[in-house]
Amino acid sequence: MKIIALSDTHMPRMAKSLPGRLVEELKDADYILHAGDWQTMDVYEELKKFAPVDGVCGNVDSGELVGKFGLQKVRTFEDFRIGIVHGHGKKGTTEQRALAAFADEEVDLILFGHSHIPLLKEVNGILLLNPGSPTDKRRQEHYSFAIIRLGSEMAVEHVFYSSKL
C-alpha cells in the first residue's frame, strides 16, 4: 500500500495548484493523509481525484474543514496504526505536542505538520513524521512530502524538490 503524507499546503495562498512532483506520486497512491493547514476545501476536492483522502485540521483551517476532519485521529491501514495531528499549540515544541497527543494511544507512526520542517525519526519505538510542505518551504531548502509504504513492514521516505511547478 502506498500512502502519500502531506501537510501545510496553504492553498491557494501559497500555490494555485498541486505541484507537479506531488501529482506524479499521487497518480498511483492508494491513500492520501493530510496533517492540516489545508486552507480551503478545494485542496481536499483536488486530492480526492487521485485516491481516498483523510486528515486533520490545523490552526488556519476553516470551521467547515474542522467539521469534516477534526483535529486529531488514529487511522489503521493493514496492521499499522497512524496517529495524525497538526501539532499547533502553546506548550513545548511541535514535535513534543505531536508525541503528547498520542501518549495514551498505541501507534506505529505519528504524522504531524505545522513547522514546515521535514522530520523522520524514531522515539520510543514510534516513528515521527513531518512531511514538510509541498507548497510553502519557508526557510527549508526544498519543498517536500512523504511516502509511506506498507507491506509486511513500514517504510517511509521524504520526497524533496526545488520547484512548485
Side-chain angles (χ1 to χ4, degrees), residues 15-77:
K16 303 298 181 223
S17 61
L18 297 171
R21 183 65 185 96
L22 174 60
V23 169
E24 283 177 43
E25 294 296 341
L26 288 170
K27 289 177 182 175
D28 65 348
D30 296 302
Y31 215 90
I32 303 164
L33 295 175
H34 195 298
D37 282 2
W38 312 65
Q39 201 94 31
T40 68
M41 190 64 86
D42 292 342
V43 177
Y44 166 73
E45 295 296 333
E46 188 63 28
L47 289 171
K48 77 177 190 177
K49 293 175 185 175
F50 296 96
V53 180
D54 200 0
V56 297
C57 291
N59 53 301
V60 303
D61 290 324
S62 68
E64 177 186 20
L65 284 161
V66 173
K68 179 163 185 62
F69 296 109
L71 298 173
Q72 178 178 330
K73 64 179 62 162
V74 175
R75 292 294 316 265
T76 301
F77 297 93

Side-chain angles (χ1 to χ4, degrees), residues 11 46 52 60 65 77 93 111 122 125 130 151 159:
M11 291 173 63
E46 188 63 28
V60 303
L65 284 161
F77 297 93
T93 65
L111 171 62
E122 186 177 321
N130 185 326
V159 176

Side-chain angles (χ1 to χ4, degrees), residues 74-147:
V74 175
R75 292 294 316 265
T76 301
F77 297 93
E78 300 185 12
D79 292 328
F80 299 97
R81 290 175 49 85
I82 299 175
I84 313 163
V85 68
H86 186 59
H88 61 291
K90 296 192 187 312
K91 291 187 177 184
T93 65
T94 305
E95 181 181 321
Q96 290 167 338
R97 289 188 296 269
L99 272 168
F102 298 98
D104 297 328
E105 299 267 3
E106 285 190 32
V107 295
D108 299 292
L109 181 145
I110 297 173
L111 171 62
F112 68 101
H114 189 57
S115 68
H116 298 224
I117 300 170
L119 173 82
L120 178 60
K121 74 179 194 181
E122 186 177 321
V123 176
N124 299 324
I126 300 169
L127 276 178
L128 289 180
L129 172 62
N130 185 326
S133 173
T135 56
D136 185 9
K137 63 185 176 81
R138 291 188 179 167
R139 291 183 218 106
Q140 302 306 302
E141 187 174 344
H142 300 286
Y143 300 98
S144 61
F145 59 93
I147 301 173

